[in-house]
Amino acid sequence: MAGIYIHIPFCKQACHYCDFHFSTNTSRKTEMVQAIIRELQLQKDYLGGELVNTIYFGGGTPSLLSASELSQLLKSLDQLFPITDKAEITLEANPDDLNADKLKILKTAGINRLSIGIQSFHEPHLKFLNRAHNANEASNCVQFAQDVGFDNISIDLIYAIPAKDHAIWESDLAKAIALQVQHISSYCLTIEEKTVFGNWLRKGKLKEVEDNYAAEQFEMLLSTLKTNGYEQYEISNFCLPDFYSRHNSNYWRKEPYLGVGPGAHSYNGQHRQFNISNNNLYLKALTEEKIPAEQDILALHDQINEYIMTGLRTKWGCDLRKIKEEYKYDLYQENKIYLDQLLADGKILMQDQYLILTDSGKLLADRIASDLFIVR
């Protein structure tokens, strides 16, 4: 099964933490939709005819699309690719875009899963992050979506936002659970260099929280969601039974996917493809019937490293037999002393030849993965 990701590179305003590719100038939005459709046509053979079971509209802010623009994209996808009848079709949305009328349009168009960028229910934190919505919209949009009939809703939350204690984070978690959404994605606030927060950090206007503070909030996230019936199936992703994000799970399981739109990435098992992250150059290339992308053929050690990095983040872990059989590499024997120490320290488990991080190990996921990487 394969997936298709469509990057809509427009936002109403720039969040202070975001380093994704987007523009706040939406004057060429209609032109961009037509260019994405043209790219879909040019890329129709990228997945080799494989059945598509997930479509994901990301960004940027895809909820800025009009009903007509969204319908055009979905119609083109249906004409160009073999899509399963029960495909998961996700649209990222901001709370300020989601009124009852817009939600009805999205549902009628064929969207069956919403990923809502709430980030926080606390008004001062929303202003600090420079989000376009307010605290009331954060709560109300979920209820509106449920009233319209959406029964597969994910919300995003950010933790480790600077505060004097954990009370706001505790409240955010309580409000998220009270909404009875099926899926929660939660990410630690990271200060990226080319963002407003990055600039503030350089100027001394912002101080990053201590690692222990972030770790405590992560542990609160784990315990609170587990107590309320959510399964952590990837380090940042939690769901009620049978509500995994199929699209993101395909990424972590190394299934092929096509990414279209400026800044989108693709993967077909052998190489990665990276679209140019510039709206004007992207549009120009498509008018010239060119795919504005570069390809990176993955060496064997790169494929192994990517599998380690993604596999360790999931509840399924890394399949040591798969690595040995498919890549001819014995991960355990090559790292026996290190892995045995992690086992003794309670950072990993070994279950039927699967290497799985424990809760304490998840706090060190990136470090453990990088320690296991093959360096060439």
Side-chain angles (χ1 to χ4, degrees), residues 80-231:
L80 294 167
F81 299 92
I83 300 171
T84 62
D85 292 338
K86 295 184 179 180
E88 175 190 87
I89 305 177
T90 302
L91 183 127
E92 289 184 352
N94 281 343
D96 45 299
D97 294 326
L98 297 180
N99 55 42
D101 289 339
K102 183 63 176 278
L103 285 159
K104 289 175 184 175
I105 289 170
L106 296 177
K107 198 163 193 312
T108 300
I111 302 301
N112 55 32
R113 184 175 184 271
L114 291 175
S115 178
I116 306 175
I118 287 176
Q119 315 310 353
S120 177
F121 297 96
H122 183 62
E123 191 77 30
H125 277 186
L126 291 172
K127 291 179 178 178
F128 172 71
L129 298 171
N130 201 41
R131 296 293 291 167
H133 65 277
N134 59 44
N136 285 334
E137 289 170 328
S139 297
N140 292 342
C141 69
V142 175
Q143 184 63 60
F144 293 156
Q146 291 167 336
D147 290 344
V148 166
F150 280 98
D151 57 6
N152 193 353
I153 299 172
S154 177
I155 63 172
D156 289 350
L157 296 175
I158 293 177
Y159 64 91
I161 300 172
K164 65 178 181 179
D165 55 33
H166 299 317
I168 297 169
W169 179 232
E170 185 176 17
S171 175
D172 275 352
L173 288 172
K175 289 178 180 177
I177 290 163
L179 289 172
Q180 298 182 310
V181 293
Q182 290 77 20
H183 190 282
I184 296 173
S185 296
S186 189
Y187 305 96
C188 183
L189 179 63
T190 303
I191 310 301
E192 303 291 352
E193 183 180 355
K194 296 180 180 180
T195 63
V196 171
F197 281 164
N199 184 45
W200 288 0
L201 188 66
R202 287 191 299 274
K203 293 180 177 180
K205 294 174 61 177
L206 176 67
K207 184 180 179 181
E208 289 188 273
V209 301
E210 298 290 335
D211 288 344
N212 285 345
Y213 179 89
E216 287 167 0
Q217 293 208 343
F218 180 70
E219 289 167 350
M220 289 172 62
L221 173 72
L222 298 190
S223 61
T224 302
L225 293 187
K226 182 177 181 180
T227 299
N228 287 276
Y230 289 84
E231 177 186 11

Side-chain angles (χ1 to χ4, degrees), residues 291-319:
I291 299 172
E294 295 182 358
Q295 290 187 352
D296 181 17
I297 297 175
L298 298 175
L300 182 61
H301 71 276
D302 290 326
Q303 295 181 48
I304 295 170
N305 289 347
E306 284 203 2
Y307 179 75
I308 293 170
M309 179 177 66
T310 56
L312 276 181
R313 291 185 63 87
T314 71
K315 74 162 193 170
W316 303 285
C318 285
D319 185 344

Side-chain angles (χ1 to χ4, degrees), residues 39-49 80-82 258:
E39 189 190 353
L40 286 169
Q41 293 167 344
L42 295 174
Q43 300 262 44
K44 63 184 176 62
D45 297 324
Y46 183 83
L47 297 172
L80 294 167
F81 299 92
L258 168 65

